[in-house]
Amino acid sequence: MRFPLLALLATGAAALAAPRSECLTPKVFIVSMFSPEDVWTAPLKLTHNVSLPGLSPLFPHVKCDKARDVCHVITGEGEINAAATISAVVLSDKFDLRKTYFLFAGIAGVNPHVATTGSVGLARYAVQVALAYELDARQMPSNWMTGYWIQGTKAPGTLDGANIYGTEVFELNTNLRDRVRALIPADIKLNDTAAAAAYRASYSYAPANAPPAVFYGDVATADVYFAGSLLAEAFGNITSLWTNNTGTYALSAQEDNASFEAMVRAHQAKRVDFSRVVLLRTASDFDRAPEGKNTYDEFTADQGGFDPAVQNIFVAGNYIVQGILGEWGAFKGGVKPQEGWLHDADVFHTLATKRAGLQRRGVERRRVGRGVPLVE
Ligand SMILES: *[C@@H]1O[C@H](CO)[C@@H](O)[C@H](O)[C@H]1NC(C)=O
Ligand SMILES: *[C@@H]1O[C@H](CO)[C@@H](O)[C@H](O)[C@H]1NC(C)=O
Ligand SMILES: *[C@@H]1O[C@H](CO)[C@@H](O)[C@H](O)[C@H]1NC(C)=O
Ligand SMILES: *[C@@H]1O[C@H](CO)[C@@H](O)[C@H](O)[C@H]1NC(C)=O
Ligand SMILES: *[C@@H]1O[C@H](CO)[C@@H](O)[C@H](O)[C@H]1NC(C)=O
């Protein structure tokens, strides 16, 4: 077949020469998982629609503000929607996201021993807790406390022999987490309602029965919307395992590991900087009943936390968005992540491998680092 080589070259050259200005370079990209979490479009006037292939049919546009400084996408719920949507965004040629901060901000279930409804959690880890074997508890060995155990292992409570998929746990930049927490005023007035306060009072212990607050806590990801003290404890144990006891299961949601897998892959492809990711989850409902109460009844009860949780995404999260925009001079260059990430972003040590490779080849940091703060 004859193919005009010159035409091919011309196409390639045109692609390479495409002015960067045609590409959107948002400073902050906000991610919601379903419509109620979109507390951003109206107040931030996100009126500029950007269509991309690969978004959810329910949420077919990325929306940006007039200056194209802030963009927002809704992934659709669950791990599959999150991974597919985030992949579409980070691989799109319509964006240059190498210096963009990502704020993943949604609601979540909450461990009452760590926080209460309406509270705002900032995470270090996202753990895919249900990536596991499972036996129905009625058929498990009689001395087991849970029917979940890590694939490849022999029993709950160990990682010995674990089969690794690579998505089990993601670790974020805790220095960035500290920086953005400092953007939120210490005396912030979080939204609360009488209904949420009344339900909270049915717990006999704090922080469950205390007013909502901003806190640090890690997120368990599972498509299964679980509840009850036994499952919550089992998944809390799995969180401890995957984080070598440095993570605390605080919040449960259905997307974060999936989103972060797409983000880590895009980081490897030099399309995003994984050290610029913030995970904020506000607590909409308790993951277990107050002591002595029936698990199913409390799971299905209106706990009153949904409305304040949704509102507090914006109440707290907008300080982060405006802070990054307002201090862009300081944020533009990135925030160096902690020394010795437990997993260097993921179980495959993706970022560490990159660092080792770069150091081996003696590649100059600035040229290739692309904002990935490499070890000095
Ligand atoms: C942008 O897209 C949304 C749906 O995603 C639609 O409701 C809205 O009308 C669109 N706005 C414009 C200006 O086209
Ligand atoms: C989810 O991500 C967290 C870290 O963010 C990681 O520790 C965990 O193993 C992941 N879980 C799964 C099942 O991928
Ligand atoms: C969680 O781990 C603790 C400590 O190893 C153990 O005592 C408890 O039974 C475990 N709980 C579940 C539900 O697996
Ligand atoms: C896990 O923690 C223990 C002690 O807390 C430490 O000695 C060990 O090196 C840690 N393992 C990893 C992989 O970081
Ligand atoms: C906070 O909650 C109150 C009702 O308690 C409501 O009137 C107000 O609009 C809420 N604020 C925000 C920012 O949503």
Side-chain angles (χ1 to χ4, degrees):
M1 187 181 71
R2 269 169 59 93
F3 194 85
L5 182 61
L6 274 178
L8 186 68
L9 287 174
T11 315
L16 283 176
R20 262 334 208 179
S21 58
E22 283 181 13
C23 231
L24 302 185
T25 55
K27 298 184 173 89
V28 181
F29 209 120
I30 305 165
V31 181
S32 304
M33 278 51 74
F34 71 140
S35 300
E37 291 168 350
D38 178 10
V39 290
W40 305 99
T41 295
L44 299 187
K45 301 190 174 62
L46 307 179
T47 53
H48 177 68
N49 282 355
V50 183
S51 305
L52 304 178
L55 297 183
S56 160
L58 296 177
F59 310 109
H61 299 113
V62 169
K63 295 182 196 171
C64 305
D65 66 352
K66 197 166 172 220
R68 319 297 197 247
D69 279 337
V70 180
C71 293
H72 172 252
V73 73
I74 305 180
T75 62
E77 293 168 272
E79 296 178 53
I80 292 170
N81 280 321
T85 296
I86 298 302
S87 291
V89 169
V90 295
L91 298 178
S92 167
D93 287 331
K94 293 192 176 171
F95 294 101
D96 177 347
L97 302 170
R98 290 172 299 175
K99 292 201 183 316
T100 303
Y101 286 84
F102 284 83
L103 175 63
F104 289 80
I107 62 169
V110 65
N111 175 351
H113 296 290
V114 179
T116 193
T117 47
S119 292
V120 178
L122 291 166
R124 172 180 180 185
Y125 294 109
V127 180
Q128 193 179 6
V129 290
L131 185 64
Y133 295 133
E134 181 198 2
L135 292 180
D136 187 286
R138 290 166 293 192
Q139 295 175 329
M140 70 189 185
S142 59
N143 61 338
W144 284 18
M145 288 301 294
T146 176
Y148 282 93
W149 74 111
I150 304 296
Q151 293 184 50
T153 68
K154 297 274 193 293
T158 179
L159 292 181
D160 287 346
N163 290 337
I164 301 291
Y165 286 14
T167 58
E168 289 77 3
V169 56
F170 293 92
E171 180 181 13
L172 301 177
N173 180 346
T174 53
N175 293 338
L176 175 60
R177 183 177 68 157
D178 295 345
R179 279 282 288 278
V180 301
R181 182 175 185 166
L183 296 171
I184 302 172
D187 61 352
I188 186 173
K189 187 159 173 22
L190 292 173
N191 215 297
D192 199 10
T193 62
Y199 187 84
R200 227 181 262 138
S202 58
Y203 288 82
S204 62
Y205 53 92
N209 62 12
V214 179
F215 71 103
Y216 283 160
D218 300 313
V219 181
T221 298
D223 275 335
V224 175
Y225 192 137
F226 63 86
S229 57
L230 290 176
L231 280 179
E233 195 186 299
F235 290 140
N237 284 352
I238 287 179
T239 301
S240 301
L241 275 179
W242 282 121
T243 61
N244 199 22
N245 292 315
T246 60
T248 304
Y249 158 63
L251 296 151
S252 62
Q254 296 173 294
E255 295 87 8
D256 301 327
N257 271 57
S259 299
F260 293 165
E261 178 63 19
M263 294 294 293
V264 167
R265 291 184 190 189
H267 179 104
Q268 275 182 295
K270 298 195 178 75
R271 299 193 72 109
V272 303
D273 175 354
F274 192 71
S275 71
R276 296 183 186 224
V277 174
V278 175
L279 173 54
L280 176 153
R281 286 274 184 180
T282 60
S284 55
D285 53 281
F286 290 103
D287 71 1
R288 67 200 85 181
E291 280 157 313
K293 295 274 182 70
N294 176 276
T295 294
Y296 177 76
D297 291 347
E298 301 309 302
F299 177 69
T300 50
D302 181 359
Q303 303 182 5
F306 185 87
D307 291 338
V310 164
Q311 287 162 7
N312 287 336
I313 293 174
F314 186 82
V315 172
N318 197 38
Y319 282 108
I320 297 175
V321 173
Q322 300 309 324
I324 292 173
L325 295 178
E327 298 175 30
W328 184 245
F331 277 99
K332 190 176 176 186
V335 176
K336 192 181 171 196
Q338 60 274 28
E339 293 297 329
W341 298 35
L342 178 64
H343 291 305
D344 290 287
D346 69 1
V347 181
F348 290 148
H349 292 263
T350 300
L351 271 56
T353 309
K354 190 178 193 97
R355 282 202 286 269
L358 290 172
Q359 281 167 355
R360 253 199 322 278
R361 293 197 304 275
V363 177
E364 202 254 315
R365 172 171 185 254
R366 285 203 176 281
R367 197 154 54 82
V368 179
R370 286 276 177 234
V372 184
L374 305 177
V375 169
E376 300 292 345

